Amino acid sequence: MPKKTALDESADLRLQVVSLSRNDSFAGAVSHPQNKHAELKKPVRIVAVTHFLPFAVSVSKETPNEPHQWNVTRRRGHTAMYAGIRSLVENPGTNCMQLGWIGYYQDINGNEHTCDSLSHESRFNIVKALEKHHAVPVFIDKDDAHGHYEGYSKQILWPLFHYMSWSDSHPVQPNWWNSYQKVNKLFATALASIYKDGDIIWVHDYHLLLLPELLRSMYPLATIGFFLHSPFPSSELFRSLPHRKDILSGMLGSTSIGFQTYSYARHFLSSCTRVLGLESTPTGIDNKGSMVSIGVFPIGIDSKSVQKRRSLPSVQAKMKSLREMFANKLIIIGRDRLDEVAGIRQKLEAFERLLEMYPKYQNNVVLIQVTQPGQTRQPKLEAKISELVTSINSNYGSLEFMPVLYHHTFLDADEYMALLNIADLCLITVIRDGMNTGSLEYVVCQQDKHSPLILSEFTGTAGSVSGAIQINPWDYEAVAQAIDTAFSMSPEEKTVRYEQMFKHVMSHDAQYWANAFIEDLRATVLAGQNNTETPSLDLALIAKEFKKAKRRLIMLDYDGTLTPITNIPAQALPPPEMLAALQKLCADPRNFVCVISGRDRQFLELHLNTIKGLALSGEHGSFIRYPGGEWINLLDQMDMGWKDEVLSIFEFFTERTAGSTIEAKETSITWHFRNTDPEYGEFQAKECMSHLEDSVVSKLPVEILVGKKCLEVRPISVNKGEIVKRLMGTHPEQWDFVACAGDDKTDEDMFRALRTMQRSIGQQRVNGSDSSSQVPPHYFTITVGPVDKKSAAAWHVTSSHKVIETLIELAATE
């Protein structure tokens, strides 16, 4: 037997981890992951979707007039993300395409223009030029591009995701949201033009938050990954966003969503629970029956490229010049965008405090602060920084020496590399950041000096770079002390800390990040591939079978099936068109229709009693009333003494959980927590269930039913499946047509009971005199929910409205 390679073992482990950590969605799906690791190594095509393509185009000097030919160069910025995607493009085992906005083009004089006025042939030539780079451009007109990027993305989403209230930025323009939606739709259309079955779609960042849901509506079975490069704010702040539901729903169209840190993932899970009312685990979200995987994938840098560049002769020359300029000085390097969240003001305040607390550093240390334009122009911040720089240089500088060298422009790449190489300390004081890659570049460049790194605890990198000195940038005195500690550190401690950081940065680079995300995404899909997708209900087929049948049985759940789920159960009233359809079906002697609900008898009688010929079953099968008859208590001989003990437990938790209520029925008791704080309600429900299991279920013949935002305790012999068996009778083959619809876990008992009967009838036909060896398609078990909802039903519809439409269609059948 051949020896298993490290790659094989890695693939096996990834499958095992995915299948075990996501047991709610893929329980038992991967029985032998060791036999399936090869699936992770099969060639696939990946379509990486970013707002900007990593390329810019400029007019070729040979074609100054239209139609133009084009030069293609690499775009500046987002180096870590582009490096990760590029590693997939350059991987011979992976076919990777890139799709994104081309942005503005440059004419032969270097002036920028939009692509709006370009001829069709010039645009076609852009497409052809980018084909060589495995890239597909998206063309966006000037107004929509501005409203999407400069407007909604930069003025609303970016501030909000970095813990700045969206209302603190510029006045909101109504057309920004329209442009944001339109651009996401343009991306969906562009991707549809190149999508092939089996492709992996990888969408990036907050510019395209609606795209996953748009793609899911077009390709229900597509593999869609989404990675958010920015932070995700706490639910308390995110809930202030007017379009919060649209944003979350858009992201939840993904198969898997990746974040930089666990805290960002936790905030997203909390927002989904609080805003959309969805249930979640630390590794996934139950999006109406479809499990969306959640993972943490800290991004890295192209460490090999940085390592190569730092050794270039041009960089070495810059290093020599800088050493001469700052001879005998300790150099602190900082490089940030000019944004409020970059913490530049906090850095300067802390540096001033250092010079005040430790006079020994006066005239001996220099802070070289490099800034580049931020997301938006912030004149007040610029003025405050200039004021602080002037103050420090005035108080602690001289004509010969300035302790702060403030450089506000894009820095030459060689000069930046040289600074990282010669620095005695890198100081990063951001107050909110997705993943500060500048700190990682600094680590790679310090292979000779092993200088320390001071890192804000609010960066995404803080959890990964363990050798750094972590600080709270708001505590100026503590930051000053940290700088002194770094300068006083022994060479041995510097080396130990540096080796920890260097090992991590080199092993967890951009290529590792991209491969880890894609492998996890593929493993997630592979782990769930044995779960058969539930097809949409074939309305023509069900109508055809209904029409030719002579004895028909229709069984329907109420809440979530005949009416939408409501926060207040009493408001779940039957729609008039549903009542009319049921009345017409019940009037046909060939039909037997029964509503099987968890509701009590009084509710069912109040709202459905006017329908003649309708059978009713209440409290999940505890009661049944046949047409024209009286209610039959199927548990009249059962001791209900357990109800007092359960009621006392529910009352205990109701008193301590604001918004929760108790619904006492004749044969069961339900504790509802739909209107509680979502997270606290889930926590209390788990505590309540644990208490019930220990003190009641373990010693009495009852069971706990976990419903939609409720816990119900009922006799163990009661469920909707038993009612189905009773209605089907001792000779279930008597029915030519059976339809059963429901939406939640209690209805799965009905589907399983019918599936068992269907198999039994099929086996009888195989073994008996009937020449038919196949079960006819007359058992229609229908779940209400998405296509990938895990259910024992054979068909699905997306909403209760579709159920009603089906009933209307059947009622109209002659």
Side-chain angles (χ1 to χ4, degrees), residues 727-769:
L727 294 175
M728 293 287 287
T730 56
H731 297 285
E733 66 276 5
Q734 66 180 303
W735 303 102
D736 301 315
F737 174 93
V738 177
C740 179
D743 73 305
D744 67 10
K745 296 175 183 177
T746 65
D747 302 311
E748 295 297 318
D749 292 329
M750 296 195 292
F751 303 149
R752 282 189 286 268
L754 284 172
R755 187 165 60 181
T756 300
M757 292 180 188
Q758 189 179 32
R759 289 172 178 168
S760 176
I761 295 171
Q763 191 62 41
Q764 290 174 14
R765 294 189 174 183
V766 170
N767 298 332
S769 58

Side-chain angles (χ1 to χ4, degrees), residues 596-614:
I596 306 174
S597 174
R599 298 282 191 157
D600 58 28
R601 295 186 288 177
Q602 291 75 21
F603 181 92
L604 295 175
E605 284 186 336
L606 176 64
H607 296 292
L608 301 176
N609 207 40
T610 57
I611 302 175
K612 295 181 179 180
L614 178 66

Side-chain angles (χ1 to χ4, degrees), residues 286-580:
D286 184 355
N287 183 26
K288 301 174 184 176
S290 174
M291 206 68 180
V292 180
S293 172
I294 303 297
V296 177
F297 306 90
I299 198 170
I301 60 171
D302 187 356
S303 52
K304 293 179 181 178
S305 174
V306 174
Q307 201 169 24
K308 182 178 179 181
R309 188 172 188 88
R310 69 178 287 271
S311 303
L312 292 175
S314 56
V315 174
Q316 297 297 318
K318 293 281 186 182
M319 288 170 59
K320 182 180 179 181
S321 175
L322 289 169
R323 284 195 187 102
E324 293 173 355
M325 185 183 304
F326 300 107
N328 302 317
K329 305 294 183 185
L330 294 170
I331 300 173
I332 302 176
I333 179 67
R335 186 197 189 196
D336 307 276
R337 285 184 178 275
L338 188 57
D339 288 314
E340 192 70 48
V341 296
I344 301 172
R345 182 170 62 85
Q346 286 76 11
K347 185 185 299 185
L348 293 170
E349 295 273 13
F351 182 69
E352 186 173 29
R353 190 67 56 86
L354 171 78
L355 299 178
E356 178 186 324
M357 292 171 58
Y358 302 95
K360 63 181 180 180
Y361 293 120
Q362 295 177 16
N363 296 316
N364 289 316
V365 63
V366 58
L367 170 62
I368 303 176
Q369 177 60 47
V370 180
T371 62
Q372 57 193 64
Q375 292 288 328
T376 57
R377 181 80 189 278
Q378 299 186 46
K380 290 183 180 179
L381 177 62
E382 292 177 21
K384 180 62 179 176
I385 289 174
S386 296
E387 181 184 327
L388 282 169
V389 171
T390 302
S391 173
I392 296 170
N393 287 336
S394 299
N395 293 330
Y396 298 100
S398 63
L399 289 175
E400 295 81 17
F401 174 71
M402 293 294 176
V404 179
L405 181 62
Y406 183 63
H407 191 74
H408 180 43
T409 185
F410 283 105
L411 194 64
D412 176 76
D414 288 346
E415 202 162 23
Y416 174 58
M417 283 288 132
L419 282 172
L420 293 181
N421 273 284
I422 69 167
D424 297 288
L425 176 67
C426 180
L427 179 60
I428 296 173
T429 56
V430 297
I431 57 178
R432 189 63 59 183
D433 201 4
M435 184 62 67
N436 192 288
T437 55
S439 61
L440 307 181
E441 293 170 339
Y442 171 76
V443 170
V444 175
C445 290
Q446 281 292 318
Q447 294 176 53
D448 300 324
K449 294 189 66 173
H450 297 179
S451 296
L453 168 66
I454 294 180
L455 192 60
S456 166
E457 63 188 57
F458 300 113
T459 63
T461 322
S464 305
V465 188
S466 58
I469 301 173
Q470 294 193 17
I471 48 93
N472 175 1
W474 297 99
D475 189 345
Y476 304 148
E477 187 170 321
V479 175
Q481 291 172 350
I483 296 173
D484 178 58
T485 299
F487 284 147
S488 305
M489 193 178 293
S490 67
E492 292 78 17
E493 185 178 353
K494 286 183 180 180
T495 299
V496 170
R497 285 177 174 270
Y498 178 78
E499 287 179 350
Q500 288 180 343
M501 295 188 291
F502 183 74
K503 182 178 180 181
H504 173 82
V505 172
M506 296 303 293
S507 60
H508 292 74
D509 58 4
Q511 180 178 351
Y512 176 89
W513 163 74
N515 287 335
F517 184 91
I518 295 299
E519 283 186 14
D520 187 85
L521 177 59
R522 295 182 68 183
T524 298
V525 174
L526 181 60
Q529 69 178 4
N530 291 345
N531 293 295
T532 305
E533 305 293 344
T534 309
S536 298
L537 179 63
D538 188 331
L539 195 56
L541 178 61
I542 192 173
K544 174 186 173 184
E545 295 296 332
F546 181 82
K547 184 175 182 179
K548 70 181 184 180
K550 296 180 180 179
R551 284 181 58 81
R552 308 155 175 162
L553 176 60
I554 301 173
M555 296 169 284
L556 305 163
D557 171 47
Y558 184 79
D559 290 287
T561 304
L562 293 178
T563 62
I565 294 290
T566 61
N567 287 336
I568 302 175
Q571 293 180 350
L573 304 179
E577 61 272 21
M578 181 269 284
L579 294 175

